[in-house]
Amino acid sequence: MRPLSFGIRSCRYGIVGVCVLFFLLLTGCGSEDPSADSDANIHGENDVEIGPDAGPADDVESIPDAGPTDDVETVPDAAPADDVETEPDADPDPVDDVETDTGPELENACGGTEELDAEPGEPCEDGAGQWGCDGENEVVCEIEENACGGTEELDVEPGEPCEDGAGYWVCDGDDELVCDIDANACGGTAELDGEPGESCEEGAGEWVCDGDDAVVCEVGENACGGTAELDGEPGESCEGGAGEWVCDGDDAVVCEVDENACGGTAELDGEPGESCEEGAGEWVCIAENQVVCEIEENACGGTEELDGEPGESCEDGSGEWVCDGDNAVVCDIETNACGGTEELDHEPGESCNDDAGQWVCDGDDTVTCAEDESNACGGTEELDGEPGTECGDCGSWECDGADAVTCTGTVDLQTDDEHCGQCDEACSSEQTCNAGQCEEVSTFACEVDDEFYGQIGTGDEIDNAGGTPTTGPFTHHSGLGDIIAEVEDVLDGYSSDEISNQVIDIEFDETIEIDGATVTAVEYRSDTNYWLGDADAGVYFRAHEDNPVDAEPSVGDRVSFDVDGVEIFHGTLQLNDYSDWTIIDNDTPVSFIELDDQQLDTDEHYGRIVRMAGELTDTSWSCAGDTCFVMNYGPNGEYETTFKTRSSFVYPGDCITYIGPIKSHPRFYVDGAEAQVDAGDGPNFGWDWHSVD
């Protein structure tokens, strides 16, 4: 409809005759029957509709009842073509008033707007190729070449043997092959150093063609420039993040660990050689990862200067300096029976003058023979004891004036190393008196690092750390005890060997709801395996790849979920048939057992978080890819257990502080299971170790 409207409007501003001619041309182009009689409707039924009130025109016949038109529509009151009037207020430039509608531009198959020479994807070059886009408005014929540079399919590949191995197929033009008896495997004629495709460099590479007459050994280099498989990728961390793999030549890597001043990798409490204790001592290494403040002690065990050296004489030789605490000495003077320091000529109380009298004290340092009724101290009162005789535990009576005596020199027979259990029963230098018995002095010096909590709390850069440590037991019952009860009922029907030698899937009759179990540990190697705890039990939770948990927890989170069954993996309970996993709380208290003077007990400690210290002995063995040590623990190292680890940085004599779940060997539901410290994953529960001299 726009073209006719354009023509009529233009006629208002142009020469009438030209406009009429233009009008007739437009309407003539719309005729459906070009051979129709000249007296017929020259506009055609579908081209022009002229309203019933249109004025007569010399060249246009109007049809009052003309049908609808698709192309041109004129206004009903249009003036006759010969009498076109211009609008007085019209813009004098008719071109500015032209109304056009080009419609939306259509994209071609390459994304442009121009017409393409062919449709992408259609065949070209007699089917040898197909048209493909070359930009948005161009196409090219893309032809896939064969190994000889042509487009025909080859029967075999150049270089393959022919004539029973006497020759090789070689290109004969772009699309043909011939069997060249004298050709080598690369298509040339020279003898090759190796057969393409065969191995070279002792299997590290493969011979490949380098042109027609040469081959090269193509070796895939490792990251260090060699050909051997490396134990680790240079730049990646090793030893639990303590070091980094670095190249050691072309075909090896070593784990390079930044050493501290003592030769270990852990952060030290102080720098060796620097002062400590306000200048009283100096930090010294006692192990690769441990320093102590070494203070030069005096002879009494303190740090202050003493008035005299213990053991030396004092008071003109009448006494001896002895320690009075760590930083003081007193002159210990041995008194005679009269309370003085001089040696007496006779002991008070002994007879004198042919038994007519007895020796009595005459002052502190002399005695006299008294023939009257005086007592041994020179007085007249009866004494509680005879001066010089035994009293109490290993003491003796001494005069305290003329009419009294005092029992001096008594000891504690339970703790006195010189009088242990009885007077004059002395312990050796390697023993000490304990409860009246001489016992060997313990050299065990492995104590718990009481500031270390592993994954509980901040965790010191340990992933999944959280919660707050507490030695108080869990008090909430989340439902873990119900799982244990169900499992034990089922396993009553199995022998120990049956449990040990198979995987037993247990389906519960009814779903058990776990409500608020605490996450107590997350495994190091797989953060989809957790230990859960409540007042009743510690249970191992193992998430599967095909059934991951909805939210990854941290230690100290409390979780709720439904359990439809469990797996007994060769004696270990694994909670893996679960649904509706939800974390309901964060950073809650995590209970751990401080193991001090107590033997590990499988029934009591399995699955529970325990903190303990132990010293590795020189007894070790390989166990399931890890290393197992006998570890002594307890106040005097009187207990022992197995310490299992994957680390290569532990040695006999190392003191280990461990905090994590206790496992067992064999597995828990197998007869003879014994509790052990299992750090086989590496530092998976944040255990800490250092050496002991």
Side-chain angles (χ1 to χ4, degrees):
M1 291 189 290
R2 285 281 183 184
L4 183 54
S5 177
F6 168 78
I8 293 172
R9 189 173 184 182
S10 298
C11 287
R12 296 177 183 176
Y13 309 103
I15 301 172
V16 173
V18 176
C19 290
V20 170
L21 178 59
F22 180 63
F23 179 81
L24 292 175
L25 288 172
L26 286 172
T27 57
C29 290
S31 174
E32 294 181 359
D33 187 4
S35 64
D37 191 282
S38 61
D39 293 333
N41 176 13
I42 65 173
H43 305 295
E45 291 181 353
N46 296 323
D47 295 332
V48 181
E49 177 179 347
I50 303 176
D53 296 329
D58 293 338
D59 296 321
V60 180
E61 179 178 356
S62 65
I63 301 175
D65 299 322
T69 63
D70 296 329
D71 299 324
V72 181
E73 177 180 354
T74 62
V75 294
D77 298 320
D82 290 338
D83 194 15
V84 177
E85 296 180 1
T86 62
E87 297 179 8
D89 297 327
D91 191 328
D93 184 359
V95 177
D96 294 339
D97 288 341
V98 175
E99 298 179 6
T100 62
D101 185 4
T102 59
E105 291 186 346
L106 299 177
E107 284 190 358
N108 58 41
C110 292
T113 58
E114 298 180 12
E115 184 179 357
L116 302 174
D117 294 333
E119 192 69 17
E122 293 185 353
C124 55
E125 291 293 332
D126 297 328
Q130 67 177 14
W131 292 106
C133 292
D134 184 19
E136 294 182 345
N137 294 306
E138 298 288 339
V139 289
V140 294
C141 186
E142 297 174 341
I143 301 175
E144 185 177 350
E145 292 186 351
N146 59 37
C148 292
T151 59
E152 301 288 335
E153 184 179 358
L154 302 176
D155 294 332
V156 293
E157 285 296 303
E160 292 186 5
C162 55
E163 292 294 333
D164 296 329
Y168 297 93
W169 290 107
V170 296
C171 294
D172 184 19
D174 293 340
D175 295 308
E176 297 290 337
L177 293 166
V178 294
C179 184
D180 190 336
I181 302 299
D182 296 324
N184 58 41
C186 294
T189 58
E191 184 178 357
L192 302 175
D193 293 333
E195 193 69 15
E198 293 185 354
S199 63
C200 52
E201 290 292 333
E202 298 181 356
E206 181 180 291
W207 292 110
V208 295
C209 292
D210 185 21
D212 293 340
D213 290 312
V215 288
V216 292
C217 186
E218 194 171 78
V219 180
E221 290 188 351
N222 57 40
C224 293
T227 59
E229 184 179 357
L230 302 175
D231 293 332
E233 195 67 19
E236 292 186 354
S237 63
C238 51
E239 285 299 327
E244 181 180 289
W245 290 111
V246 295
C247 292
D248 184 21
D250 293 340
D251 291 313
V253 288
V254 293
C255 186
E256 193 171 80
V257 180
D258 292 333
E259 291 188 350
N260 56 40
C262 293
T265 60
E267 184 178 357
L268 302 174
D269 293 332
E271 193 67 18
E274 293 186 355
S275 64
C276 51
E277 291 295 330
E278 299 180 356
E282 180 181 289
W283 291 110
V284 295
C285 297
I286 63 168
E288 291 180 345
N289 289 308
Q290 189 180 22
V291 290
V292 294
C293 186
E294 191 173 80
I295 301 174
E296 187 174 349
E297 294 182 348
N298 57 41
C300 293
T303 59
E304 298 179 9
E305 186 177 356
L306 302 174
D307 293 332
E309 193 68 16
E312 293 185 356
S313 64
C314 53
E315 292 294 331
D316 298 328
S318 61
E320 182 180 285
W321 291 111
V322 294
C323 292
D324 183 21
D326 293 338
N327 292 303
V329 288
V330 294
C331 187
D332 187 10
I333 301 174
E334 186 175 351
T335 59
N336 56 43
C338 293
T341 59
E342 300 290 336
E343 184 179 358
L344 301 174
D345 293 334
H346 301 280
E347 281 297 307
E350 291 182 356
S351 63
C352 60
N353 198 19
D354 297 329
D355 295 332
Q358 62 178 358
W359 294 106
V360 296
C361 293
D362 184 15
D364 292 338
D365 293 311
T366 59
V367 291
T368 184
C369 184
E371 297 183 1
D372 53 16
E373 298 297 325
S374 60
N375 60 41
C377 293
T380 59
E381 300 292 334
E382 185 179 356
L383 302 176
D384 293 334
E386 193 70 18
T389 61
E390 291 186 0
C391 61
D393 290 331
C394 310
S396 62
W397 292 109
E398 291 183 359
C399 291
D400 185 15
D403 291 308
V405 288
T406 301
C407 186
T408 62
T410 58
V411 298
D412 184 352
L413 297 177
Q414 299 299 302
T415 59
D416 195 299
D417 290 341
E418 299 299 321
H419 307 277
C420 188
Q422 60 184 356
C423 295
D424 299 326
E425 186 67 34
C427 298
S428 70
S429 60
E430 296 179 354
Q431 295 177 319
T432 186
C433 186
N434 182 27
Q437 297 291 325
C438 290
E439 296 179 351
E440 296 296 324
V441 177
S442 173
T443 59
F444 192 75
C446 186
E447 297 180 353
V448 167
D449 180 355
D450 57 9
E451 295 183 357
F452 186 77
Y453 296 97
Q455 286 184 324
I456 308 174
T458 61
D460 191 19
E461 299 181 358
I462 298 175
D463 292 339
N464 305 101
T468 55
T470 176
T471 54
F474 288 125
T475 58
H476 59 284
H477 301 271
S478 68
L480 296 179
D482 296 335
I483 292 177
I484 299 298
E486 289 279 351
V487 167
E488 290 179 349
D489 284 345
V490 173
L491 293 184
D492 280 345
Y494 290 83
S495 68
S496 178
D497 287 343
E498 290 173 330
I499 295 172
S500 175
N501 294 322
Q502 64 179 313
V503 177
I504 304 171
D505 290 316
I506 299 176
E507 295 295 327
F508 299 151
D509 294 334
E510 296 182 0
T511 298
I512 295 178
E513 296 181 0
I514 303 300
D515 183 16
T518 301
V519 178
T520 57
V522 178
E523 281 197 351
Y524 175 77
R525 283 189 296 178
S526 172
D527 54 11
T528 59
N529 299 337
Y530 323 114
W531 284 88
L532 308 178
D534 67 4
D536 301 310
V539 175
Y540 186 53
F541 181 98
R542 184 180 179 87
H544 284 297
E545 292 181 0
D546 56 355
N547 186 21
V549 296
D550 295 331
E552 183 179 313
S554 295
V555 172
D557 288 352
R558 293 185 67 178
V559 296
S560 294
F561 52 95
D562 294 338
V563 183
D564 293 316
V566 297
E567 176 183 86
I568 306 301
F569 186 81
H570 300 282
T572 296
L573 189 159
Q574 297 185 158
L575 203 163
N576 57 4
D577 188 358
Y578 54 90
S579 60
D580 297 332
W581 171 276
T582 305
I583 297 176
I584 62 173
D585 203 356
N586 308 106
D587 281 327
T588 65
V590 178
S591 174
F592 72 94
I593 299 169
E594 192 81 85
L595 197 73
D596 186 16
D597 189 7
Q598 182 182 3
Q599 178 85 34
L600 275 175
D601 182 86
T602 307
D603 291 331
E604 180 181 354
H605 297 131
Y606 180 85
R608 295 299 194 180
I609 304 301
V610 167
R611 185 168 73 173
M612 60 185 294
E615 183 178 314
L616 303 185
T617 71
D618 56 6
T619 302
S620 64
W621 63 96
S622 177
C623 50
D626 300 328
T627 301
C628 285
F629 291 86
V630 170
M631 182 171 79
N632 293 333
Y633 65 100
N636 298 303
E638 61 268 41
Y639 308 124
E640 71 175 37
T641 187
T642 298
F643 179 81
K644 181 181 179 184
T645 180
R646 183 157 295 178
S647 173
S648 57
F649 282 81
V650 288
Y651 308 95
D654 285 345
C655 177
I656 306 296
T657 291
Y658 173 85
I659 182 167
I662 295 299
K663 300 182 183 179
S664 69
H665 180 77
R667 299 176 189 266
F668 183 73
Y669 287 108
V670 177
D671 290 348
E674 291 188 4
Q676 69 176 24
V677 178
D678 189 347
D681 283 325
N684 52 329
F685 301 112
W687 54 274
D688 177 58
W689 60 272
H690 51 268
S691 298
V692 176
D693 279 345

